[in-house]
PDB file of all heavy atoms in Angstrom:
ATOM      1  N   ILE A   1      -3.033  11.323 -16.375  1.00  0.00           N
ATOM      2  CA  ILE A   1      -2.240  12.293 -15.738  1.00  0.00           C
ATOM      3  C   ILE A   1      -2.124  13.383 -16.754  1.00  0.00           C
ATOM      4  O   ILE A   1      -1.485  13.232 -17.817  1.00  0.00           O
ATOM      5  CB  ILE A   1      -0.816  11.800 -15.335  1.00  0.00           C
ATOM      6  CG1 ILE A   1      -0.936  10.644 -14.360  1.00  0.00           C
ATOM      7  CG2 ILE A   1       0.002  13.013 -14.629  1.00  0.00           C
ATOM      8  CD1 ILE A   1       0.447  10.006 -13.981  1.00  0.00           C
ATOM      9  N   ASP A   2      -2.563  14.658 -16.488  1.00  0.00           N
ATOM     10  CA  ASP A   2      -2.605  15.746 -17.339  1.00  0.00           C
ATOM     11  C   ASP A   2      -1.244  16.372 -17.311  1.00  0.00           C
ATOM     12  O   ASP A   2      -0.308  16.062 -16.569  1.00  0.00           O
ATOM     13  CB  ASP A   2      -3.613  16.729 -16.968  1.00  0.00           C
ATOM     14  CG  ASP A   2      -4.146  17.508 -18.169  1.00  0.00           C
ATOM     15  OD1 ASP A   2      -3.560  17.503 -19.237  1.00  0.00           O
ATOM     16  OD2 ASP A   2      -5.310  18.073 -18.016  1.00  0.00           O
ATOM     17  N   VAL A   3      -1.043  17.380 -18.317  1.00  0.00           N
ATOM     18  CA  VAL A   3       0.197  18.142 -18.375  1.00  0.00           C
ATOM     19  C   VAL A   3       0.664  18.757 -17.046  1.00  0.00           C
ATOM     20  O   VAL A   3       1.870  18.736 -16.775  1.00  0.00           O
ATOM     21  CB  VAL A   3       0.097  19.167 -19.515  1.00  0.00           C
ATOM     22  CG1 VAL A   3       1.374  20.011 -19.603  1.00  0.00           C
ATOM     23  CG2 VAL A   3      -0.197  18.459 -20.873  1.00  0.00           C
ATOM     24  N   ASP A   4      -0.167  19.260 -16.275  1.00  0.00           N
ATOM     25  CA  ASP A   4       0.032  19.858 -15.023  1.00  0.00           C
ATOM     26  C   ASP A   4       0.228  18.934 -13.923  1.00  0.00           C
ATOM     27  O   ASP A   4       0.364  19.423 -12.805  1.00  0.00           O
ATOM     28  CB  ASP A   4      -1.058  21.030 -14.599  1.00  0.00           C
ATOM     29  CG  ASP A   4      -2.363  20.437 -14.474  1.00  0.00           C
ATOM     30  OD1 ASP A   4      -2.595  19.205 -14.652  1.00  0.00           O
ATOM     31  OD2 ASP A   4      -3.277  21.263 -14.176  1.00  0.00           O
ATOM     32  N   GLY A   5       0.117  17.651 -14.082  1.00  0.00           N
ATOM     33  CA  GLY A   5       0.212  16.653 -13.094  1.00  0.00           C
ATOM     34  C   GLY A   5      -1.065  16.249 -12.401  1.00  0.00           C
ATOM     35  O   GLY A   5      -1.035  15.336 -11.591  1.00  0.00           O
ATOM     36  N   SER A   6      -2.094  16.812 -12.781  1.00  0.00           N
ATOM     37  CA  SER A   6      -3.342  16.485 -12.127  1.00  0.00           C
ATOM     38  C   SER A   6      -3.818  15.098 -12.636  1.00  0.00           C
ATOM     39  O   SER A   6      -3.509  14.744 -13.765  1.00  0.00           O
ATOM     40  CB  SER A   6      -4.481  17.521 -12.507  1.00  0.00           C
ATOM     41  OG  SER A   6      -4.671  17.621 -13.904  1.00  0.00           O
ATOM     42  N   ILE A   7      -4.499  14.434 -11.789  1.00  0.00           N
ATOM     43  CA  ILE A   7      -4.901  13.068 -12.046  1.00  0.00           C
ATOM     44  C   ILE A   7      -6.446  12.924 -12.135  1.00  0.00           C
ATOM     45  O   ILE A   7      -7.105  13.449 -11.275  1.00  0.00           O
ATOM     46  CB  ILE A   7      -4.361  12.075 -10.869  1.00  0.00           C
ATOM     47  CG1 ILE A   7      -2.801  11.998 -10.997  1.00  0.00           C
ATOM     48  CG2 ILE A   7      -4.833  10.656 -11.160  1.00  0.00           C
ATOM     49  CD1 ILE A   7      -2.050  11.260  -9.928  1.00  0.00           C
ATOM     50  N   THR A   8      -6.968  12.227 -13.097  1.00  0.00           N
ATOM     51  CA  THR A   8      -8.398  11.972 -13.170  1.00  0.00           C
ATOM     52  C   THR A   8      -8.629  10.515 -13.441  1.00  0.00           C
ATOM     53  O   THR A   8      -7.870   9.839 -14.129  1.00  0.00           O
ATOM     54  CB  THR A   8      -8.847  12.771 -14.475  1.00  0.00           C
ATOM     55  OG1 THR A   8      -8.511  14.114 -14.300  1.00  0.00           O
ATOM     56  CG2 THR A   8     -10.324  12.620 -14.550  1.00  0.00           C
ATOM     57  N   TYR A   9      -9.628  10.014 -12.765  1.00  0.00           N
ATOM     58  CA  TYR A   9     -10.157   8.698 -12.978  1.00  0.00           C
ATOM     59  C   TYR A   9     -11.522   8.636 -13.437  1.00  0.00           C
ATOM     60  O   TYR A   9     -12.419   9.559 -13.124  1.00  0.00           O
ATOM     61  CB  TYR A   9     -10.099   7.882 -11.631  1.00  0.00           C
ATOM     62  CG  TYR A   9      -8.710   7.766 -11.061  1.00  0.00           C
ATOM     63  CD1 TYR A   9      -8.221   8.654 -10.011  1.00  0.00           C
ATOM     64  CD2 TYR A   9      -7.831   6.773 -11.504  1.00  0.00           C
ATOM     65  CE1 TYR A   9      -7.010   8.526  -9.493  1.00  0.00           C
ATOM     66  CE2 TYR A   9      -6.641   6.605 -10.895  1.00  0.00           C
ATOM     67  CZ  TYR A   9      -6.183   7.471  -9.904  1.00  0.00           C
ATOM     68  OH  TYR A   9      -4.927   7.365  -9.290  1.00  0.00           O
ATOM     69  N   THR A  10     -11.873   7.574 -14.143  1.00  0.00           N
ATOM     70  CA  THR A  10     -13.309   7.340 -14.475  1.00  0.00           C
ATOM     71  C   THR A  10     -13.987   6.915 -13.180  1.00  0.00           C
ATOM     72  O   THR A  10     -13.396   6.291 -12.357  1.00  0.00           O
ATOM     73  CB  THR A  10     -13.490   6.406 -15.638  1.00  0.00           C
ATOM     74  OG1 THR A  10     -14.836   6.437 -16.123  1.00  0.00           O
ATOM     75  CG2 THR A  10     -13.115   5.000 -15.193  1.00  0.00           C
ATOM     76  N   ASP A  11     -15.265   7.195 -13.047  1.00  0.00           N
ATOM     77  CA  ASP A  11     -16.012   6.994 -11.798  1.00  0.00           C
ATOM     78  C   ASP A  11     -15.899   5.529 -11.370  1.00  0.00           C
ATOM     79  O   ASP A  11     -15.791   5.200 -10.210  1.00  0.00           O
ATOM     80  CB  ASP A  11     -17.431   7.412 -11.969  1.00  0.00           C
ATOM     81  CG  ASP A  11     -17.622   8.969 -11.968  1.00  0.00           C
ATOM     82  OD1 ASP A  11     -16.638   9.650 -11.527  1.00  0.00           O
ATOM     83  OD2 ASP A  11     -18.639   9.360 -12.406  1.00  0.00           O
ATOM     84  N   SER A  12     -16.003   4.624 -12.323  1.00  0.00           N
ATOM     85  CA  SER A  12     -16.055   3.201 -12.043  1.00  0.00           C
ATOM     86  C   SER A  12     -14.799   2.587 -11.340  1.00  0.00           C
ATOM     87  O   SER A  12     -14.847   1.480 -10.797  1.00  0.00           O
ATOM     88  CB  SER A  12     -16.359   2.380 -13.282  1.00  0.00           C
ATOM     89  OG  SER A  12     -15.294   2.404 -14.232  1.00  0.00           O
ATOM     90  N   VAL A  13     -13.640   3.279 -11.472  1.00  0.00           N
ATOM     91  CA  VAL A  13     -12.484   2.759 -10.796  1.00  0.00           C
ATOM     92  C   VAL A  13     -11.990   3.596  -9.697  1.00  0.00           C
ATOM     93  O   VAL A  13     -10.869   3.283  -9.105  1.00  0.00           O
ATOM     94  CB  VAL A  13     -11.315   2.634 -11.852  1.00  0.00           C
ATOM     95  CG1 VAL A  13     -11.839   1.887 -13.101  1.00  0.00           C
ATOM     96  CG2 VAL A  13     -10.826   3.992 -12.308  1.00  0.00           C
ATOM     97  N   LYS A  14     -12.607   4.746  -9.369  1.00  0.00           N
ATOM     98  CA  LYS A  14     -12.180   5.566  -8.275  1.00  0.00           C
ATOM     99  C   LYS A  14     -12.174   4.766  -6.903  1.00  0.00           C
ATOM    100  O   LYS A  14     -13.108   4.020  -6.542  1.00  0.00           O
ATOM    101  CB  LYS A  14     -13.088   6.765  -8.152  1.00  0.00           C
ATOM    102  CG  LYS A  14     -12.950   7.733  -9.135  1.00  0.00           C
ATOM    103  CD  LYS A  14     -13.963   8.971  -9.012  1.00  0.00           C
ATOM    104  CE  LYS A  14     -13.783   9.993 -10.040  1.00  0.00           C
ATOM    105  NZ  LYS A  14     -14.686  11.142  -9.963  1.00  0.00           N
ATOM    106  N   GLY A  15     -11.125   4.885  -6.169  1.00  0.00           N
ATOM    107  CA  GLY A  15     -10.896   4.199  -4.945  1.00  0.00           C
ATOM    108  C   GLY A  15     -10.255   2.810  -5.090  1.00  0.00           C
ATOM    109  O   GLY A  15      -9.913   2.153  -4.096  1.00  0.00           O
ATOM    110  N   ARG A  16     -10.118   2.362  -6.336  1.00  0.00           N
ATOM    111  CA  ARG A  16      -9.665   0.994  -6.652  1.00  0.00           C
ATOM    112  C   ARG A  16      -8.356   1.042  -7.417  1.00  0.00           C
ATOM    113  O   ARG A  16      -7.420   0.258  -7.253  1.00  0.00           O
ATOM    114  CB  ARG A  16     -10.683   0.158  -7.289  1.00  0.00           C
ATOM    115  CG  ARG A  16     -11.970  -0.066  -6.507  1.00  0.00           C
ATOM    116  CD  ARG A  16     -12.851  -1.019  -7.171  1.00  0.00           C
ATOM    117  NE  ARG A  16     -13.284  -0.621  -8.576  1.00  0.00           N
ATOM    118  CZ  ARG A  16     -12.968  -1.298  -9.685  1.00  0.00           C
ATOM    119  NH1 ARG A  16     -12.385  -2.467  -9.575  1.00  0.00           N
ATOM    120  NH2 ARG A  16     -13.423  -0.886 -10.885  1.00  0.00           N
ATOM    121  N   PHE A  17      -8.281   1.953  -8.343  1.00  0.00           N
ATOM    122  CA  PHE A  17      -7.161   2.085  -9.273  1.00  0.00           C
ATOM    123  C   PHE A  17      -6.294   3.265  -8.911  1.00  0.00           C
ATOM    124  O   PHE A  17      -6.814   4.313  -8.482  1.00  0.00           O
ATOM    125  CB  PHE A  17      -7.521   2.189 -10.783  1.00  0.00           C
ATOM    126  CG  PHE A  17      -8.172   1.003 -11.281  1.00  0.00           C
ATOM    127  CD1 PHE A  17      -8.594  -0.136 -10.537  1.00  0.00           C
ATOM    128  CD2 PHE A  17      -8.412   0.939 -12.663  1.00  0.00           C
ATOM    129  CE1 PHE A  17      -9.127  -1.241 -11.058  1.00  0.00           C
ATOM    130  CE2 PHE A  17      -8.996  -0.233 -13.225  1.00  0.00           C
ATOM    131  CZ  PHE A  17      -9.368  -1.237 -12.460  1.00  0.00           C
ATOM    132  N   THR A  18      -4.992   3.209  -9.176  1.00  0.00           N
ATOM    133  CA  THR A  18      -4.118   4.324  -8.921  1.00  0.00           C
ATOM    134  C   THR A  18      -3.036   4.395 -10.108  1.00  0.00           C
ATOM    135  O   THR A  18      -2.419   3.481 -10.381  1.00  0.00           O
ATOM    136  CB  THR A  18      -3.354   4.166  -7.616  1.00  0.00           C
ATOM    137  OG1 THR A  18      -4.241   3.978  -6.527  1.00  0.00           O
ATOM    138  CG2 THR A  18      -2.355   5.334  -7.346  1.00  0.00           C
ATOM    139  N   ILE A  19      -3.083   5.590 -10.675  1.00  0.00           N
ATOM    140  CA  ILE A  19      -2.167   5.775 -11.744  1.00  0.00           C
ATOM    141  C   ILE A  19      -0.908   6.524 -11.187  1.00  0.00           C
ATOM    142  O   ILE A  19      -1.007   7.294 -10.377  1.00  0.00           O
ATOM    143  CB  ILE A  19      -2.754   6.633 -12.894  1.00  0.00           C
ATOM    144  CG1 ILE A  19      -1.827   6.738 -14.063  1.00  0.00           C
ATOM    145  CG2 ILE A  19      -3.272   7.962 -12.405  1.00  0.00           C
ATOM    146  CD1 ILE A  19      -2.482   7.315 -15.372  1.00  0.00           C
ATOM    147  N   SER A  20       0.218   6.227 -11.639  1.00  0.00           N
ATOM    148  CA  SER A  20       1.483   6.885 -11.207  1.00  0.00           C
ATOM    149  C   SER A  20       2.508   6.726 -12.228  1.00  0.00           C
ATOM    150  O   SER A  20       2.351   6.012 -13.243  1.00  0.00           O
ATOM    151  CB  SER A  20       1.929   6.229  -9.887  1.00  0.00           C
ATOM    152  OG  SER A  20       2.238   4.852 -10.077  1.00  0.00           O
ATOM    153  N   LYS A  21       3.511   7.410 -12.090  1.00  0.00           N
ATOM    154  CA  LYS A  21       4.686   7.462 -13.013  1.00  0.00           C
ATOM    155  C   LYS A  21       5.990   7.515 -12.384  1.00  0.00           C
ATOM    156  O   LYS A  21       6.093   8.037 -11.301  1.00  0.00           O
ATOM    157  CB  LYS A  21       4.588   8.460 -14.132  1.00  0.00           C
ATOM    158  CG  LYS A  21       4.593   9.894 -13.512  1.00  0.00           C
ATOM    159  CD  LYS A  21       4.514  10.945 -14.645  1.00  0.00           C
ATOM    160  CE  LYS A  21       4.561  12.356 -14.065  1.00  0.00           C
ATOM    161  NZ  LYS A  21       4.489  13.381 -15.142  1.00  0.00           N
ATOM    162  N   ASP A  22       6.972   6.889 -12.896  1.00  0.00           N
ATOM    163  CA  ASP A  22       8.361   7.071 -12.439  1.00  0.00           C
ATOM    164  C   ASP A  22       9.149   7.755 -13.569  1.00  0.00           C
ATOM    165  O   ASP A  22       9.453   7.070 -14.618  1.00  0.00           O
ATOM    166  CB  ASP A  22       8.955   5.635 -12.146  1.00  0.00           C
ATOM    167  CG  ASP A  22      10.276   5.654 -11.499  1.00  0.00           C
ATOM    168  OD1 ASP A  22      11.128   6.599 -11.851  1.00  0.00           O
ATOM    169  OD2 ASP A  22      10.554   4.875 -10.567  1.00  0.00           O
ATOM    170  N   ASN A  23       9.469   8.984 -13.377  1.00  0.00           N
ATOM    171  CA  ASN A  23      10.114   9.648 -14.376  1.00  0.00           C
ATOM    172  C   ASN A  23      11.562   9.214 -14.734  1.00  0.00           C
ATOM    173  O   ASN A  23      12.102   9.165 -15.926  1.00  0.00           O
ATOM    174  CB  ASN A  23      10.183  11.157 -14.124  1.00  0.00           C
ATOM    175  CG  ASN A  23       8.876  11.812 -14.101  1.00  0.00           C
ATOM    176  OD1 ASN A  23       8.012  11.489 -14.971  1.00  0.00           O
ATOM    177  ND2 ASN A  23       8.685  12.812 -13.214  1.00  0.00           N
ATOM    178  N   GLY A  24      12.211   8.691 -13.723  1.00  0.00           N
ATOM    179  CA  GLY A  24      13.539   8.183 -13.842  1.00  0.00           C
ATOM    180  C   GLY A  24      13.592   6.918 -14.681  1.00  0.00           C
ATOM    181  O   GLY A  24      14.471   6.772 -15.514  1.00  0.00           O
ATOM    182  N   LYS A  25      12.562   5.986 -14.520  1.00  0.00           N
ATOM    183  CA  LYS A  25      12.476   4.871 -15.234  1.00  0.00           C
ATOM    184  C   LYS A  25      11.670   5.016 -16.564  1.00  0.00           C
ATOM    185  O   LYS A  25      11.599   4.101 -17.343  1.00  0.00           O
ATOM    186  CB  LYS A  25      11.814   3.701 -14.372  1.00  0.00           C
ATOM    187  CG  LYS A  25      12.715   3.376 -13.257  1.00  0.00           C
ATOM    188  CD  LYS A  25      11.985   2.257 -12.431  1.00  0.00           C
ATOM    189  CE  LYS A  25      12.783   1.783 -11.209  1.00  0.00           C
ATOM    190  NZ  LYS A  25      12.072   0.742 -10.391  1.00  0.00           N
ATOM    191  N   LYS A  26      11.069   6.224 -16.753  1.00  0.00           N
ATOM    192  CA  LYS A  26      10.225   6.504 -17.869  1.00  0.00           C
ATOM    193  C   LYS A  26       9.186   5.409 -17.936  1.00  0.00           C
ATOM    194  O   LYS A  26       8.991   4.777 -19.134  1.00  0.00           O
ATOM    195  CB  LYS A  26      11.105   6.574 -19.143  1.00  0.00           C
ATOM    196  CG  LYS A  26      12.077   7.690 -19.102  1.00  0.00           C
ATOM    197  CD  LYS A  26      12.688   7.917 -20.454  1.00  0.00           C
ATOM    198  CE  LYS A  26      13.622   6.834 -20.868  1.00  0.00           C
ATOM    199  NZ  LYS A  26      14.303   7.052 -22.142  1.00  0.00           N
ATOM    200  N   THR A  27       8.494   5.145 -16.927  1.00  0.00           N
ATOM    201  CA  THR A  27       7.488   4.190 -16.817  1.00  0.00           C
ATOM    202  C   THR A  27       6.145   4.712 -16.216  1.00  0.00           C
ATOM    203  O   THR A  27       6.209   5.351 -15.186  1.00  0.00           O
ATOM    204  CB  THR A  27       8.001   2.926 -16.022  1.00  0.00           C
ATOM    205  OG1 THR A  27       9.168   2.468 -16.604  1.00  0.00           O
ATOM    206  CG2 THR A  27       6.908   1.812 -15.979  1.00  0.00           C
ATOM    207  N   LEU A  28       5.112   4.304 -16.825  1.00  0.00           N
ATOM    208  CA  LEU A  28       3.761   4.644 -16.325  1.00  0.00           C
ATOM    209  C   LEU A  28       3.168   3.334 -15.723  1.00  0.00           C
ATOM    210  O   LEU A  28       3.302   2.318 -16.218  1.00  0.00           O
ATOM    211  CB  LEU A  28       2.815   5.140 -17.432  1.00  0.00           C
ATOM    212  CG  LEU A  28       1.469   5.589 -17.123  1.00  0.00           C
ATOM    213  CD1 LEU A  28       1.524   6.855 -16.284  1.00  0.00           C
ATOM    214  CD2 LEU A  28       0.629   5.736 -18.363  1.00  0.00           C
ATOM    215  N   TYR A  29       2.461   3.564 -14.491  1.00  0.00           N
ATOM    216  CA  TYR A  29       1.839   2.387 -13.895  1.00  0.00           C
ATOM    217  C   TYR A  29       0.393   2.618 -13.680  1.00  0.00           C
ATOM    218  O   TYR A  29      -0.171   3.593 -13.597  1.00  0.00           O
ATOM    219  CB  TYR A  29       2.541   2.207 -12.507  1.00  0.00           C
ATOM    220  CG  TYR A  29       4.035   1.944 -12.618  1.00  0.00           C
ATOM    221  CD1 TYR A  29       4.891   3.050 -12.263  1.00  0.00           C
ATOM    222  CD2 TYR A  29       4.515   0.673 -12.697  1.00  0.00           C
ATOM    223  CE1 TYR A  29       6.245   2.791 -12.256  1.00  0.00           C
ATOM    224  CE2 TYR A  29       5.904   0.481 -12.778  1.00  0.00           C
ATOM    225  CZ  TYR A  29       6.750   1.570 -12.519  1.00  0.00           C
ATOM    226  OH  TYR A  29       8.149   1.419 -12.466  1.00  0.00           O
ATOM    227  N   LEU A  30      -0.363   1.473 -13.588  1.00  0.00           N
ATOM    228  CA  LEU A  30      -1.740   1.433 -13.147  1.00  0.00           C
ATOM    229  C   LEU A  30      -1.913   0.290 -12.183  1.00  0.00           C
ATOM    230  O   LEU A  30      -1.846  -0.860 -12.544  1.00  0.00           O
ATOM    231  CB  LEU A  30      -2.719   1.315 -14.314  1.00  0.00           C
ATOM    232  CG  LEU A  30      -4.189   1.324 -13.957  1.00  0.00           C
ATOM    233  CD1 LEU A  30      -4.522   2.759 -13.549  1.00  0.00           C
ATOM    234  CD2 LEU A  30      -4.979   0.913 -15.163  1.00  0.00           C
ATOM    235  N   GLN A  31      -1.979   0.645 -10.854  1.00  0.00           N
ATOM    236  CA  GLN A  31      -2.222  -0.351  -9.795  1.00  0.00           C
ATOM    237  C   GLN A  31      -3.718  -0.477  -9.679  1.00  0.00           C
ATOM    238  O   GLN A  31      -4.520   0.423  -9.566  1.00  0.00           O
ATOM    239  CB  GLN A  31      -1.713   0.163  -8.453  1.00  0.00           C
ATOM    240  CG  GLN A  31      -1.961  -0.746  -7.328  1.00  0.00           C
ATOM    241  CD  GLN A  31      -1.215  -2.028  -7.458  1.00  0.00           C
ATOM    242  OE1 GLN A  31       0.019  -2.100  -7.744  1.00  0.00           O
ATOM    243  NE2 GLN A  31      -1.976  -3.155  -7.225  1.00  0.00           N
ATOM    244  N   MET A  32      -4.155  -1.718  -9.900  1.00  0.00           N
ATOM    245  CA  MET A  32      -5.551  -2.132  -9.919  1.00  0.00           C
ATOM    246  C   MET A  32      -5.884  -2.985  -8.810  1.00  0.00           C
ATOM    247  O   MET A  32      -5.365  -4.262  -8.730  1.00  0.00           O
ATOM    248  CB  MET A  32      -5.999  -2.720 -11.281  1.00  0.00           C
ATOM    249  CG  MET A  32      -5.591  -1.851 -12.436  1.00  0.00           C
ATOM    250  SD  MET A  32      -6.081  -2.608 -14.027  1.00  0.00           S
ATOM    251  CE  MET A  32      -5.207  -4.162 -14.061  1.00  0.00           C
ATOM    252  N   ASN A  33      -6.656  -2.567  -7.871  1.00  0.00           N
ATOM    253  CA  ASN A  33      -7.026  -3.331  -6.685  1.00  0.00           C
ATOM    254  C   ASN A  33      -8.586  -3.658  -6.718  1.00  0.00           C
ATOM    255  O   ASN A  33      -9.345  -2.963  -7.428  1.00  0.00           O
ATOM    256  CB  ASN A  33      -6.683  -2.609  -5.401  1.00  0.00           C
ATOM    257  CG  ASN A  33      -5.177  -2.410  -5.253  1.00  0.00           C
ATOM    258  OD1 ASN A  33      -4.402  -3.253  -5.613  1.00  0.00           O
ATOM    259  ND2 ASN A  33      -4.798  -1.335  -4.650  1.00  0.00           N
ATOM    260  N   SER A  34      -9.006  -4.626  -6.015  1.00  0.00           N
ATOM    261  CA  SER A  34     -10.404  -4.902  -5.897  1.00  0.00           C
ATOM    262  C   SER A  34     -11.124  -5.033  -7.264  1.00  0.00           C
ATOM    263  O   SER A  34     -12.084  -4.473  -7.512  1.00  0.00           O
ATOM    264  CB  SER A  34     -11.177  -3.867  -5.090  1.00  0.00           C
ATOM    265  OG  SER A  34     -10.644  -3.706  -3.751  1.00  0.00           O
ATOM    266  N   LEU A  35     -10.416  -5.889  -8.101  1.00  0.00           N
ATOM    267  CA  LEU A  35     -10.785  -6.005  -9.450  1.00  0.00           C
ATOM    268  C   LEU A  35     -12.132  -6.659  -9.512  1.00  0.00           C
ATOM    269  O   LEU A  35     -12.523  -7.550  -8.739  1.00  0.00           O
ATOM    270  CB  LEU A  35      -9.773  -6.722 -10.268  1.00  0.00           C
ATOM    271  CG  LEU A  35      -8.576  -5.947 -10.689  1.00  0.00           C
ATOM    272  CD1 LEU A  35      -7.404  -6.894 -11.023  1.00  0.00           C
ATOM    273  CD2 LEU A  35      -8.951  -5.038 -11.833  1.00  0.00           C
ATOM    274  N   LYS A  36     -13.004  -6.186 -10.547  1.00  0.00           N
ATOM    275  CA  LYS A  36     -14.181  -6.799 -10.766  1.00  0.00           C
ATOM    276  C   LYS A  36     -14.392  -7.385 -12.189  1.00  0.00           C
ATOM    277  O   LYS A  36     -13.600  -7.013 -13.041  1.00  0.00           O
ATOM    278  CB  LYS A  36     -15.306  -5.709 -10.625  1.00  0.00           C
ATOM    279  CG  LYS A  36     -15.303  -4.900  -9.288  1.00  0.00           C
ATOM    280  CD  LYS A  36     -16.353  -3.655  -9.274  1.00  0.00           C
ATOM    281  CE  LYS A  36     -16.245  -2.919  -7.987  1.00  0.00           C
ATOM    282  NZ  LYS A  36     -17.249  -1.821  -8.000  1.00  0.00           N
ATOM    283  N   PRO A  37     -15.322  -8.267 -12.409  1.00  0.00           N
ATOM    284  CA  PRO A  37     -15.385  -8.870 -13.743  1.00  0.00           C
ATOM    285  C   PRO A  37     -15.639  -7.766 -14.776  1.00  0.00           C
ATOM    286  O   PRO A  37     -15.104  -7.972 -15.879  1.00  0.00           O
ATOM    287  CB  PRO A  37     -16.672  -9.795 -13.540  1.00  0.00           C
ATOM    288  CG  PRO A  37     -16.633 -10.141 -12.118  1.00  0.00           C
ATOM    289  CD  PRO A  37     -16.208  -8.962 -11.432  1.00  0.00           C
ATOM    290  N   GLU A  38     -16.326  -6.807 -14.498  1.00  0.00           N
ATOM    291  CA  GLU A  38     -16.531  -5.666 -15.470  1.00  0.00           C
ATOM    292  C   GLU A  38     -15.306  -4.873 -15.729  1.00  0.00           C
ATOM    293  O   GLU A  38     -15.304  -4.053 -16.729  1.00  0.00           O
ATOM    294  CB  GLU A  38     -17.620  -4.676 -14.955  1.00  0.00           C
ATOM    295  CG  GLU A  38     -17.427  -4.233 -13.568  1.00  0.00           C
ATOM    296  CD  GLU A  38     -18.313  -4.978 -12.488  1.00  0.00           C
ATOM    297  OE1 GLU A  38     -18.249  -6.201 -12.578  1.00  0.00           O
ATOM    298  OE2 GLU A  38     -18.869  -4.371 -11.672  1.00  0.00           O
ATOM    299  N   ASP A  39     -14.163  -5.080 -15.050  1.00  0.00           N
ATOM    300  CA  ASP A  39     -12.918  -4.508 -15.489  1.00  0.00           C
ATOM    301  C   ASP A  39     -12.204  -5.285 -16.515  1.00  0.00           C
ATOM    302  O   ASP A  39     -11.165  -4.816 -17.082  1.00  0.00           O
ATOM    303  CB  ASP A  39     -12.006  -4.457 -14.266  1.00  0.00           C
ATOM    304  CG  ASP A  39     -12.473  -3.528 -13.192  1.00  0.00           C
ATOM    305  OD1 ASP A  39     -13.002  -2.476 -13.474  1.00  0.00           O
ATOM    306  OD2 ASP A  39     -12.392  -3.956 -11.976  1.00  0.00           O
TER     307      ASP A  39
END
């Protein structure tokens, strides 16, 4: 997540991973779905 809020993923995880943040909790998350052995 860049300074302006834009989000970027590496190609291998697009459509499977989601990055997000909760400013109130000061917590960063990475939701990982459809995991593969190469992850």
Side-chain angles (χ1 to χ4, degrees):
I1 302 177
D2 210 342
V3 175
D4 63 357
S6 62
I7 295 175
T8 304
Y9 298 97
T10 190
D11 287 342
S12 64
V13 308
K14 289 181 179 178
R16 300 189 297 120
F17 290 11
T18 302
I19 187 172
S20 63
K21 62 179 180 179
D22 186 322
N23 291 326
K25 296 181 179 180
K26 297 190 292 184
T27 302
L28 181 72
Y29 301 98
L30 184 67
Q31 178 66 46
M32 305 185 295
N33 298 325
S34 301
L35 283 163
K36 304 175 180 179
E38 49 263 46
D39 295 318

